[in-house]
Amino acid sequence: MPANRAVVAALAALGLALTATACDDAQGSTTAAASGPGSPSPTERVASMTGMRLLDKGREAFGRASSVRMTGFVVDEDSGRRTNVQLAADRKGQCAAKVDAEGKGEFEFVRTEGTLLYRPSAALLSALRGTEAAERYRDRWFRIPPTSEYASMADLCDLAGLPAFGDPNSSWSALAGEPGTVGGRASMGVQLNSTEEGAFTAHLAAEGAMVPLRMEDGWSESVGKTMTFDFTDYDVPVVLPALPAGSVVDGDLPAKAAA
């Protein structure tokens, strides 16, 4: 999941990039106000953690997850074009995604048993190869070879590639942020940074397993302007679309057209 920043990797198919975390802050955490005598709540305990402790807990929780769904968007910094992404992936390499690139069209891709398949919408295929090709290959899936310019789409399917949380050995700095709520769940923010990938704000679940609930590009006033991804459906099996007999085409047709 892609050096492209964020949850993510390059969407080479359309020439867009998905951007998808900290000095050791011994005093960088935000402490929640005490509500009274007795044991602190789980949220209060999380709010007392340093940034590096939050990052470590997030890595541990994400590393135990068998699958996850990611839903969000990326805005290309040069063109301003927004790309919406829905993706579900698991540790076995199974993956199913839908991508809507503003002004370009929609497409889907799946990865199963090491094979990457790509299905452009009729509108996108028509733009790439004309109406005749769009009609001939309507609802067909193209098998993408490893040498294709499309092949990097598969990077989004690798959970180990998730910035900061996917790779436990990567070097990031982390500074504790603020408590909040994401999707109705109590959360704790952590500001992440690396020389290669840049700055991100992550929101971790403040109760239960401290999995990432959201990642946004940048800090403070820049948060959410160019990239936001929500993480849901942890440990829910990935459902791949049906591939009827004869629906898979050998050949990198759309990529050749784009070239």
Side-chain angles (χ1 to χ4, degrees):
M1 277 174 148
N4 300 320
R5 303 165 51 220
V7 176
V8 219
L11 289 179
L14 296 177
L16 301 175
L18 282 182
T19 72
T21 294
C23 57
D24 194 353
D25 62 314
Q27 301 178 5
S29 61
T30 301
T31 303
S35 58
S39 299
S41 69
T43 301
E44 289 171 330
R45 288 195 294 271
V46 169
S48 69
M49 293 181 182
T50 66
M52 290 307 298
R53 180 61 173 162
L54 289 167
L55 176 56
D56 288 342
K57 295 291 286 185
R59 284 173 170 170
E60 292 172 7
F62 188 77
R64 289 193 297 267
S66 62
S67 64
V68 67
R69 175 175 293 276
M70 293 174 278
T71 305
F73 67 88
V74 175
V75 177
D76 182 70
E77 295 179 357
D78 295 326
S79 67
R81 183 183 298 122
R82 172 169 167 150
T83 299
N84 298 309
V85 180
Q86 299 179 50
L87 179 146
D90 64 22
R91 298 285 176 185
K92 299 178 181 179
Q94 302 260 81
C95 177
K98 293 183 179 181
V99 179
D100 180 4
E102 183 181 60
K104 290 291 185 177
E106 302 175 358
F107 62 90
E108 298 176 68
F109 67 88
V110 300
R111 187 175 70 176
T112 179
E113 298 180 352
T115 298
L116 180 65
L117 303 174
Y118 164 84
R119 179 169 70 175
S121 65
L124 178 57
L125 188 54
S126 179
L128 291 171
R129 291 301 295 262
T131 55
E132 182 178 347
E135 185 61 31
R136 179 185 306 170
Y137 295 105
R138 181 182 295 272
D139 296 327
R140 299 290 187 90
W141 294 86
F142 295 90
R143 184 178 284 109
I144 305 302
T147 56
S148 167
E149 64 178 301
Y150 286 67
S152 62
M153 288 190 292
D155 294 345
L156 284 169
C157 300
D158 293 327
L159 300 187
L162 180 68
F165 299 102
D167 180 6
N169 299 314
S170 62
S171 176
W172 291 76
S173 62
L175 183 67
E178 300 291 335
T181 303
V182 175
R185 298 181 63 180
S187 64
M188 186 64 197
V190 57
Q191 296 178 347
L192 309 172
N193 189 61
S194 81
T195 302
E196 296 77 17
E197 306 253 16
F200 296 89
T201 297
H203 304 268
L204 306 180
E207 299 177 353
M210 291 182 62
V211 292
L213 299 179
R214 175 175 293 167
M215 285 190 72
E216 300 172 306
D217 189 40
W219 296 346
S220 186
E221 68 277 358
S222 69
V223 167
K225 291 186 176 180
T226 60
M227 187 279 289
T228 297
F229 274 85
D230 286 345
F231 299 80
T232 60
D233 296 350
Y234 279 98
D235 300 321
V236 174
V238 174
V239 178
L240 300 178
L243 302 175
S247 65
V248 177
V249 177
D250 284 316
D252 205 6
L253 180 65
K256 290 179 180 178

